[in-house]
Amino acid sequence: MNPTDLRIPGPTPVPEEVMAALSHPMINHRGPEFARLLAECTVGLKRVFQTENDIIFYPSSGSGVLEAAIVNTLSPGDRVLAISIGSFGKRFGEIAARYGANVTPLAFEWGTGAEPAVVEETLRQQGPFKAVLVTHNETSTGVTNDVRAVAEIVKPTGALLLVDAVSSLGAIDLRTDDWGIDCVSTGSQKALMCPPGLGLISVSPAAWEAHRSAAMPRFYWDWTNAMAFQNRGENPYTPPVGLYFALSTSLRLIEREGLANAIQRHTELGEFTRRGVQELGLELFCEPRWASSVVTAVKVPEGVDGKRLVALMEEQHGVTIAGGQEHLAGKIFRLGHMGYVSRADMQRCLDALRSTLAELGWKAPAAVH
Ligand SMILES: *Cc1c(COP(=O)(O)O)cnc(C)c1O
């Protein structure tokens, strides 16, 4: 099967050069070669994170890094505003609550983004908060939040801003330093074009300051320990060495394309995909103003079995797409276009979708377009 036909929103296709890097012979994770590799990855990541802040590495999935952001900056009882627009936003808030933060949820309807005016009003009426949690790109609904607007509102209140950028970093513009974001969390398996397994987080000076008095329990995630090791070119615990080779290669690919060009490519992929889906007579799940450039959520049309559509796409056409999560299961499907993806890949996906809908006997309602 063509490896580029993995059209789920993570894990994403991995370029051949990155796959090849994974087969590098194993090295001593406490030796000079690893120290150089770690330094090289750090420099490349700072460019993609658009930051001068420290970057901490963990062998983990994205959710682990969300937990790291919480337990390193907060104490039980701290007031936290948890903005959510879908399942990943909910998860971020749940982690904080589980560790004893005093969480005020601010949930927006799935399929819309966090309305900045509502965030502002909530902060004014219910603040102050020690931290605000927000998802940059909500993968479950195909919606991208206006993090810049949220940051402009949050920063003057003095709260820490913790951002889940697992599905967006490297594909959607996120200016960590310019916008004043304290922690940006991401994972290797989405726009960074690597296999899963490496979690990454940026830590601002204000987040370090909060860390010094943060009393939530932590061992594996502890930044003080992690940074002490990283400062001498190591990780505290055995790192996934192969993934560092992969990451250094994918960061070179991003550098070669140019971050701005990669972001523009995703913007165009999003527009191309939405147009293609609508030309088939299908309806987008979210309002256009919130549409994500890395994942497109589409309503399963009337009379079509959503699970069967996803299954047929794979069985008949070799194109793997994602269904909906939670209450959206069977109601939407999602097309991923993050990372190592071209317009031709999306055209193949749209062609397969057209055939699949025909195989399912579905006809676009007449005179809609
Ligand atoms: C994929 C993803 C995560 C983390 O998922 P893991 O399976 O833990 O890697 C978190 N947030 C968002 C927005 C995601 O897309």
Side-chain angles (χ1 to χ4, degrees), residues 61-64 66 88 91 135 137-139 164 166-167 189-190:
S61 84
S63 304
L66 299 180
F88 289 105
R91 180 181 301 176
T135 318
N137 180 79
E138 179 51 74
T139 317
D164 171 351
V166 177
S167 61
Q189 79 274 24
K190 295 190 180 171

Side-chain angles (χ1 to χ4, degrees), residues 270-284:
E271 288 165 358
F272 179 76
T273 305
R274 290 193 295 280
R275 196 164 55 240
V277 159
Q278 288 174 303
E279 277 169 9
L280 292 177
L282 297 169
E283 251 185 279
L284 300 172

